């Protein structure tokens, strides 16, 4: 049993505050909801008239083909290409030096980050994962893919599967109903922090024209010490002033060493007069960044998997797990330019306060550094430490509204709190909780197994919320309670859905704040402001067991999560939902019986992050 030490906890928070940097045939309810209308912004120049099939090309990026376009309500309809794109990824125990410092990295096919998985809108992806580690299980989550009718492919160990035991393989197969940019990562405790990360591109239409696609551009904080080493120390209070800062920031998987030794700058070559699509992804553990490119603006065209009315900005704030696709126009003098990644004052802790990469125009010195001394052209003043999403600018191109004739009841409020507890061995443990429960999963008995057994005997720490009604709107207020939670912003991620962001702000939500029901931002990760609230809505159109969690890896590791069991009665009817589950669990049980290492945290993810 865990005993709450609330007084100690309270005093601790005060002391700590000073150091805070900071898944048949289902009725898809949405199919009936065609886009009410689409936005009127015309694509940027050069434009060409679309042909009758609306074929995609440099001057017709809003088209896709066969009548599909940026105006298609992809929540309801998508192309069926009949094509299956196959990949095999093997998780291996390697020594790599992404920034010149050699360390153990759980690499994918020998690479960090892993190979980029690429498919087209409407394709099926078939990905075989082999676990070649010897002392860890794994499970691979395809972040943001809504896994419509394929809950068993979500890759969340303890929720949708048992971990994949060492030496075992499994195949994930799912439809690319959405298009855009995302990433895949391990959901096995802190393993993604140690390297099990890769990016995903699903080609589709865009709200602004461009000549070339530069591909994915992942940005992450990077630690020289293994996450599995620091994680347990964090949990047991081994860092009285909070966990150590990250050692560096990697841009597209690389950077120079902080001491100017080893590693290299990421360099991207562009040609004057051309327009490029760049797919920014924040694969961090803890650090929030603001990114910018000297002398150039970003035309933002999508947030997560949702196309936006494009807008122009000089810098972008990207929360962990979030993605932004931007268009960059090479309209400056032929030269080298710095690309900046600045950790945000209020929500990061990194030894590298201003990481850079280089964009080189063709014809400029391809080994030279930018001549401009300019560094950090990000925001100044209060904006410099602002850790909120630019919600007012995130206007989805396909307009969808949320019913507003509903008063959100108190029972839909999920409080975010923090506690220091003691276990029976008098060991101090740090916990983050949601609705007063620090979530923990059972690797050997995932939620989906309970559902398939028709057992509702869920342990309380599953922190499980049932949503039995089909195609119903579900509203949630995530509320950070200032008296019980340190003032940190949390990137909140939901599996299985794009949620609607009705509102976010500072203070306690009490139904008097204005919410946006008219075409609000839709995405799969949204920032809960420090000591604030986040109001979300989604529709129960996807039966399954879906995790909702803070994407700061170590916050979820310490319990900041809940799970929705959506339409339990419909889950067993999902095609293939039970295939392979028991086999994988039996292999896990056989491994685990003699394993050296066992589950130490919530079992979901944990990283050595600096913000309590
Ligand atoms: C990686 O290899 C090292 C050295 O052999 C070993 O100590 C460690 O347990 C391995 N890690 C995993 C996750 O297989
Ligand atoms: C994973 O492997 C690492 C390195 O061998 C080890 O420190 C850690 O405890 C393992 N974790 C689990 C849950 O197996
Ligand atoms: C870089 O320098 C710092 C401070 O001088 C030192 O503590 C650290 O070990 C060095 N790191 C590397 C990778 O050399
Ligand atoms: C990122 O790195 C990969 C591998 O080195 C490279 O192929 C790709 O072009 C780089 N992307 C950008 C935008 O520079
Ligand atoms: C990634 O997200 C984290 C946490 O929300 C944030 O601290 C960091 O600045 C973000 N990184 C970028 C590149 O925006
Ligand atoms: C970028 O946007 C700013 C503000 O709208 C504008 O002043 C500036 O001219 C733009 N720069 C470029 C290179 O288009
Ligand atoms: C290109 O830059 C490198 C590194 O700064 C420098 O050594 C070299 O002389 C430069 N080449 C030219 C043609 O300027
Ligand atoms: C809200 O309005 C919709 C139709 O606009 C209706 O179907 C629904 O029952 C209403 N909900 C409530 C709670 O009144
Ligand atoms: C589900 O049923 C199987 C077979 O009876 C059993 O082995 C397993 O423990 C059950 N799991 C749960 C979570 O009820
Ligand atoms: C939140 O926790 C309370 C107390 O344990 C519980 O009664 C309530 O049902 C929970 N809320 C939800 C949405 O599950
Ligand atoms: C609700 O919250 C707002 C903003 O904090 C506050 O101004 C207002 O007084 C509150 N209303 C009630 C009824 O508590
Ligand atoms: Cu968090």
């Amino acid at each position: 049993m865990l005993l709450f030490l609330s007084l100690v906890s309270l005093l601790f928070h005060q002391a700590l505050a000073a150091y805070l940097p900071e898944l048949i045939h289902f009725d898809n309810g949405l199919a009936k909801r065609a886009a009410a209308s689409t936005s009127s912004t015309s694509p940027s120049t050069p434009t060409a008239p679309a042909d009758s099939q609306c074929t995609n090309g440099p001057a017709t990026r809003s088209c896709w083909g066969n009548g599909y376009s940026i105006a298609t309500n992809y929540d309801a309809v998508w192309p069926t290409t009949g094509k299956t794109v196959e990949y095999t990824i093997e998780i291996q125990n390697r020594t790599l030096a992404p920034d010149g410092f050699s360390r153990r990295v759980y690499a994918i096919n020998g690479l960090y980050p892993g190979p980029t998985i690429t498919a087209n809108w409407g394709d099926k992806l078939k990905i075989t994962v082999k676990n070649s580690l010897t002392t860890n299980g794994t499970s691979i989550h395809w972040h943001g893919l809504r896994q419509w009718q394929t809950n068993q492919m979500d890759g969340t160990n303890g929720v949708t599967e048992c971990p994949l035991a060492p030496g075992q393989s499994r195949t994930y197969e799912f439809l690319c109903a959405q298009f855009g940019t995302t990433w895949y990562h391990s959901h096995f405790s802190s393993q993604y922090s140690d390297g099990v990360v890769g990016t995903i591109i699903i080609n589709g239409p865009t709200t602004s024209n461009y000549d070339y696609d530069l591909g994915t551009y992942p940005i992450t904080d990077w630690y020289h010490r293994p996450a599995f080493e620091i994680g347990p120390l964090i949990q047991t209070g081994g860092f009285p002033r909070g966990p150590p800062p990250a050692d560096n920031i990697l841009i597209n998987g690389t950077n120079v060493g902080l001491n100017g030794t080893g590693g290299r700058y990421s360099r991207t070559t562009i040609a004057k007069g051309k327009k490029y699509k760049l797919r920014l992804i924040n694969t961090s553990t803890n650090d929030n960044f603001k990114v910018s490119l000297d002398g150039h603006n970003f035309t933002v065209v999508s947030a997560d998997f949702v196309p936006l009315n494009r807008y122009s900005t000089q810098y972008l704030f990207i929360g962990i797990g979030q993605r932004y696709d931007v268009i960059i126009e090479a309209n400056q003098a032929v030269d080298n330019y710095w690309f900046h990644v600045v950790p945000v004052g209020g929500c990061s802790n990194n030894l590298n306060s201003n990481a850079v990469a280089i964009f080189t125009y063709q014809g400029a010195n391809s080994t030279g550094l930018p001549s401009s001394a300019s560094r950090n052209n990000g925001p100044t003043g209060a904006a410099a430490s602002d850790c909120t999403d630019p919600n007012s600018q995130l206007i989805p191109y396909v307009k969808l509204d949320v019913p507003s004739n509903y008063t959100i009841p108190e029972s839909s409020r999920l409080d975010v709190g923090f506690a220091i507890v003691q276990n029976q061995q008098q060991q101090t443990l740090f916990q983050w909780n949601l609705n007063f429960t620090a979530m923990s999963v059972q690797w050997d008995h995932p939620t989906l197994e309970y559902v398939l057994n028709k057992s509702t005997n869920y342990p309380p720490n599953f922190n499980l919320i049932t949503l039995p009604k089909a195609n119903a709107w579900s509203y949630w207020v995530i509320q950070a309670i200032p008296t019980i939670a340190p003032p940190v912003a949390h990137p909140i991620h939901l599996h299985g859905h794009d949620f609607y962001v009705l509102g976010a702000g500072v203070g306690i939500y009490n139904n008097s704040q204005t919410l946006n029901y008219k075409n609000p931002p839709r995405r799969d990760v949204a920032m809960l402001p420090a000591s604030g609230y986040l109001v979300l809505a989604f529709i129960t159109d996807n039966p399954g067991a879906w995790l909702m969690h803070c994407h700061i890896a170590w916050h979820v590791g310490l319990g900041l999560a809940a799970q929705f069991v959506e339409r339990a009665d419909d889950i067993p009817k999902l095609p293939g939902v039970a295939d392979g589950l028991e086999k994988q669990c039996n292999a896990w049980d056989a491994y685990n019986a003699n394993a050296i290492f066992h589950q130490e945290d919530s079992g979901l993810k944990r990283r050595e992050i600096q913000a309590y």
Side-chain angles (χ1 to χ4, degrees):
M1 272 302 282
L2 297 168
L3 307 166
F4 276 85
L5 296 176
S6 50
L7 181 64
V8 172
S9 158
L10 190 71
L11 292 171
F12 178 83
H13 290 146
Q14 288 167 354
L16 188 70
Y19 300 105
L20 288 173
E22 169 148 269
L23 309 140
I24 7 174
H25 194 72
F26 283 103
D27 174 19
N28 169 358
L30 287 173
K32 300 187 203 95
R33 305 174 64 240
S37 60
T38 51
S39 309
S40 61
T41 46
S42 55
S44 67
T45 55
T47 52
D51 59 22
S52 63
Q53 288 302 302
C54 198
T55 306
N56 186 273
T60 52
R61 293 293 183 195
S62 63
C63 284
W64 186 238
N66 295 322
Y68 292 93
S69 75
I70 195 74
T72 306
N73 177 10
Y74 56 89
D75 270 351
V77 288
W78 46 80
T80 310
T81 64
K83 200 176 149 207
T84 299
V85 182
E86 299 193 28
Y87 283 90
T88 298
I89 62 175
E90 184 180 353
I91 302 162
Q92 303 160 327
N93 194 344
R94 293 286 176 91
T95 298
L96 298 176
D99 64 344
F101 180 88
S102 283
R103 55 154 291 180
R104 187 165 305 289
V105 173
Y106 302 139
I108 304 179
N109 299 357
L111 304 169
Y112 174 82
T116 296
I117 288 173
T118 305
N120 288 334
W121 187 22
D123 287 349
K124 271 193 160 173
L125 270 168
K126 186 173 181 182
I127 307 164
T128 299
V129 175
K130 176 156 203 255
N131 181 10
S132 293
L133 301 174
T134 52
T135 65
N136 272 187
T138 195
S139 81
I140 303 294
H141 172 60
W142 320 95
H143 183 111
L145 267 303
R146 76 186 171 105
Q147 299 292 358
W148 189 61
Q149 296 190 358
T150 50
N151 183 235
Q152 73 277 14
M153 301 298 174
D154 198 42
T156 311
N157 50 204
V159 178
T160 58
E161 63 179 277
C162 288
L164 186 66
Q168 300 288 307
S169 296
R170 78 156 282 182
T171 299
Y172 295 90
E173 196 171 351
F174 49 87
L175 175 77
C176 301
Q178 302 138 286
F179 54 87
T181 305
T182 194
W183 57 310
Y184 59 96
H185 61 79
S186 168
H187 236 296
F188 184 84
S189 289
S190 57
Q191 198 177 65
Y192 95 68
S193 313
D194 281 338
V196 190
V197 173
T199 62
I200 303 181
I201 294 174
I202 304 173
N203 292 307
T206 308
T207 55
S208 189
N209 289 328
Y210 58 90
D211 298 291
Y212 303 107
D213 189 342
L214 288 168
T216 54
Y217 205 59
I219 300 167
T220 187
D221 42 20
W222 186 246
Y223 297 77
H224 288 165
R225 237 174 129 179
F228 277 118
E229 211 175 284
I230 300 178
L233 283 170
I234 291 173
Q235 190 177 23
T236 55
F239 298 103
R241 294 182 164 205
D247 296 287
N248 210 339
I249 289 170
L250 303 182
I251 304 177
N252 198 21
T254 184
N255 204 342
V256 296
L258 256 195
N259 301 356
T261 53
R264 60 175 181 86
Y265 288 119
S266 162
R267 188 184 290 269
T268 306
T269 303
I270 55 181
K272 187 173 168 76
K274 299 293 183 193
K275 286 183 174 172
Y276 296 86
K277 181 192 247 186
L278 185 67
R279 301 161 180 271
L280 300 162
I281 316 176
N282 181 348
T283 64
S284 272
T285 292
N286 177 66
D287 287 341
N288 288 283
F289 307 115
K290 285 202 161 124
V291 303
S292 57
L293 176 62
D294 280 357
H296 300 72
N297 292 337
F298 297 141
T299 298
V300 185
V301 294
S302 67
D304 298 349
F305 270 138
V306 180
L308 301 175
N309 284 353
R310 63 170 191 269
Y311 71 93
S312 177
T313 183
Q314 284 175 277
Y315 60 85
L316 261 176
F317 166 84
I318 320 179
I320 298 173
Q322 292 183 331
R323 292 88 67 203
Y324 286 99
D325 287 358
V326 301
I327 309 299
I328 295 170
E329 187 172 0
N331 57 6
Q332 298 299 300
V334 171
D335 206 342
N336 287 305
Y337 295 88
W338 293 117
F339 179 94
H340 303 274
V341 178
V342 179
V344 177
C347 44
S348 57
N349 182 27
N350 201 297
L351 290 176
N352 192 344
S353 61
N354 186 2
V356 288
I358 301 167
F359 275 64
T360 297
Y361 277 59
Q362 280 173 16
N365 185 341
S366 63
T367 58
L369 298 180
S371 52
S372 75
S374 161
R375 293 241 167 177
N376 187 0
N377 61 355
T380 53
S385 54
D386 180 13
C387 297
T388 58
D389 291 325
N391 284 331
S392 65
Q393 289 179 294
L394 307 180
I395 303 170
Y397 187 80
V398 174
K399 293 183 179 170
L400 296 174
D401 298 338
V402 178
S404 60
N405 54 348
Y406 179 80
T407 302
I408 303 174
E410 192 64 18
S411 59
S412 290
R413 185 172 125 177
L414 302 173
D415 287 353
V416 171
F418 180 83
I420 299 175
V421 300
Q422 271 192 345
N423 61 14
Q424 280 176 322
Q425 292 79 38
Q426 303 298 302
Q427 194 181 24
T428 297
L429 293 181
F430 287 5
Q431 288 187 341
W432 274 100
N433 50 61
L434 192 56
N435 194 27
F436 307 104
T437 302
M439 186 187 179
S440 188
V441 296
Q442 294 176 336
W443 277 345
D444 52 352
H445 292 293
T447 308
L448 192 52
E449 189 188 78
Y450 281 78
V451 175
L452 295 174
N453 278 8
K454 301 203 173 353
S455 163
T456 54
N457 198 17
Y458 306 114
N461 61 4
F462 270 26
N463 212 12
L464 188 146
I465 299 169
T466 55
L467 300 174
K469 224 172 140 215
N471 302 320
W473 283 97
S474 157
Y475 297 80
W476 300 98
V477 177
I478 318 287
Q479 179 69 60
I481 304 294
T483 50
I484 56 168
V488 272
H490 304 273
I492 302 296
H493 174 48
L494 176 64
H495 293 207
H497 294 272
D498 279 336
F499 48 56
Y500 292 71
V501 183
L502 304 184
V506 174
I508 307 285
Y509 180 76
N510 62 12
N511 277 317
S512 75
Q513 289 90 344
T514 305
L515 298 181
N516 177 15
Y517 296 93
K518 280 241 156 284
N519 194 30
R522 300 190 296 273
R523 60 189 317 168
D524 55 65
V525 183
M527 293 303 295
L528 165 66
S531 304
Y533 64 88
L534 176 67
V535 186
L536 307 174
F538 63 93
I539 195 165
T540 54
D541 62 348
N542 196 11
W546 304 113
L547 186 66
M548 179 169 78
H549 63 97
C550 170
H551 221 296
I552 290 181
W554 101 263
H555 290 183
V556 60
L558 298 190
L560 190 35
Q563 57 183 318
F564 293 104
V565 169
E566 180 175 340
R567 300 164 63 176
D569 292 347
D570 290 330
I571 295 173
K573 300 180 214 158
L574 293 167
V577 68
D579 293 358
L581 188 137
E582 282 316 307
K583 179 171 163 275
Q584 191 169 326
C585 286
N586 290 340
W588 174 254
D589 290 345
Y591 159 76
N592 198 39
N594 300 302
I596 314 170
F597 303 110
H598 296 280
Q599 184 174 339
E600 298 162 321
D601 58 7
S602 72
L604 292 163
K605 213 185 307 165
R606 178 188 62 215
R607 286 193 67 172
E608 58 285 19
I609 295 158
Q610 174 61 25
Y612 279 116

